[in-house]
Amino acid sequence: MAPRSLIIDTDPGQDDAVAIMLALGRPDAVEVLGLTAVAGNVPLHLTVPNCLRLLELAGRTDVPVFAGAAAPLVVPLVTAEHVHGATGLDGWDFPDPVTPVRPEFAPDWIVEAVMSRPPKTVTLVPLGPLTNIALALAKEPRLAQRLERIVLMGGASIEGGNITPTAEFNIFVDPHAAARVFRSGAEIVVLSLDATHQAQITRPWLDVMRALDSKVGVAFEGLLSFYERFDTEKYGTEGGPLHDPMTVAWILAPELFEGLHLNVEVETTPGLCFGQTVVDRWKVTDRRPNATWITKLDSPKVFDLILDAFRRLA
Ligand code: BDR
Ligand code: CA
């Protein structure tokens, strides 16, 4: 089968970085058409060079990088340096990137890239706030039907929030954008905290990553050791959850996941529940199902899948 085409929208972020490498390590299954950067974990002036740094590390400067939105649609930007460090990629010293960013605005390029290809052949993989995706949908609403699907990391229901008691970071940062995406009519698969909290990094897994003894393996052992220190303290677990790569893992091996087709709405009213994903798990409303909410994943097999991809990278 020909590789599936992906556009990864991202705010790297160490876990974003793993998702990008997972995709780049599997050219047999997926082709990364481009990376679109958004403000999120750190501001846009850092997420753009971070995308370039990761592609240079992987030796894949043929993949174009586009800069998108520097701020959410309505509310001021909230960032997460407390998790990811001041650079967004603390834990490894990257050289400054030399590859140029492309001149097109990311949402414009997303529209152009998807609409110029045959219907249902491109999957969008948002790993940060949904600002770029909402702007692309505002420019071209037919995008929703033209996409194969959107496979995103964001939201929380049973697990509760990680930035407020009810909200997950990516949705909280730009809930107005998220509301637009969930109402767009696109087919959506959601890897929320309900799923990603089942994917805990472990020290033995990081040791195998380091023992790969490749440039990428050594760098990622450093990045992820930094990244998980915050969550292990917060949750009192052995390792932190590896959120963003679960999207690409679902694309590569959906049989490792279980989910429910249901309705998701996003709370945009200011207050305690601002940015919450309101998930109608038991179908207590007559709101139309608009997303597949992943409820379960096979963590050991997913972590094997990631290591297998990293083995294929230099
Ligand atoms: C999400 O927030 C970010 O900090 C991570 O990169 C991930 O996309 C988890 O809530
Ligand atoms: Ca992210």
Side-chain angles (χ1 to χ4, degrees), residues 11 16 41 127 244:
D11 60 339
D16 300 72
N41 287 324
L127 308 177
D244 291 339

Side-chain angles (χ1 to χ4, degrees), residues 275-289:
Q276 180 177 9
T277 41
V278 178
V279 177
D280 189 3
R281 189 181 185 93
W282 305 116
K283 303 205 165 40
V284 295
T285 71
D286 54 10
R287 293 196 286 262
R288 188 184 61 79

